[in-house]
Amino acid sequence: MRESMRGWGIMITVTLLFISGCTSIGGPVIASPAVTLTSVKLESANIRSQTFLLGIGINNPNPFPLPVKSMRYQVALDGEKFAGGETAANFTVPANGDGAFAIKVDLDLLRTSTQLATLLQSATTRDVNYALDGSLTADIPFAPPVPFATSGVIPLQR
């Protein structure tokens, strides 16, 4: 009887060690990068649509390169939803380094809020509050999407 209890104790201990080992290999732990909106520039406009170029900056705090495969994002300007979606982004941010890329956004200001439309149409260069949040998908096996959120002030450019 004592032998069978001892056997169960060893089996339970081995199982617990195996489970704890598996949780530690569940994939790399990626520190959230600092993602900022570096520019909002009106690229072209007509009565039906407007094309904006959003500059995005990324600071990688990790001690390894961060290969970015895609990015989900939401941008708000002066508290109003401006743009959002998912974009393919195939680049690598160096370890403990910086990277940048641009997102082209097509809008119809006739369908957006009047406050945002007025803000964007009247601005030649004006500072505006922004909020940017979303997640980056790294091209690293088993790595979950890495969330980010930031806010600040940025000049709108025509």
Side-chain angles (χ1 to χ4, degrees):
M1 177 93 160
R2 204 171 250 249
E3 294 263 339
S4 71
M5 289 193 64
R6 185 172 171 192
W8 277 104
I10 291 172
M11 191 167 73
I12 290 172
T13 303
V14 168
T15 302
L16 289 175
L17 287 171
F18 177 75
I19 290 171
S20 68
C22 287
T23 59
S24 66
I25 18 178
V29 177
I30 301 173
S32 290
V35 180
T36 56
L37 186 62
T38 59
S39 65
V40 176
K41 184 176 181 179
L42 178 62
E43 195 171 71
S44 65
N46 62 41
I47 193 92
R48 300 288 291 149
S49 67
Q50 299 74 37
T51 302
F52 291 88
L53 203 56
L54 307 179
I56 306 291
I58 301 176
N59 176 270
N60 177 13
N62 296 289
F64 52 86
L66 185 62
V68 179
K69 188 164 81 173
S70 67
M71 180 175 125
R72 284 191 101 94
Y73 66 96
Q74 289 287 337
V75 177
L77 298 178
D78 267 356
E80 296 282 329
K81 182 181 177 195
F82 176 66
E86 184 168 359
T87 185
N90 219 353
F91 64 93
T92 300
V93 183
N96 298 308
D98 298 314
F101 72 102
I103 299 172
K104 192 175 274 197
V105 177
D106 294 316
L107 298 176
D108 180 355
L109 290 181
L110 296 175
R111 294 186 181 178
T112 62
S113 85
T114 355
Q115 178 185 359
L116 184 59
T118 305
L119 168 75
L120 294 171
Q121 288 173 342
S122 67
T124 51
T125 298
R126 176 180 166 221
D127 288 349
V128 64
N129 293 318
Y130 79 88
L132 171 65
D133 64 79
S135 62
L136 295 173
T137 301
D139 195 8
I140 298 173
F142 308 111
V146 182
F148 62 85
T150 188
S151 61
V153 177
I154 190 157
L156 293 180
Q157 303 168 355
R158 263 200 127 140

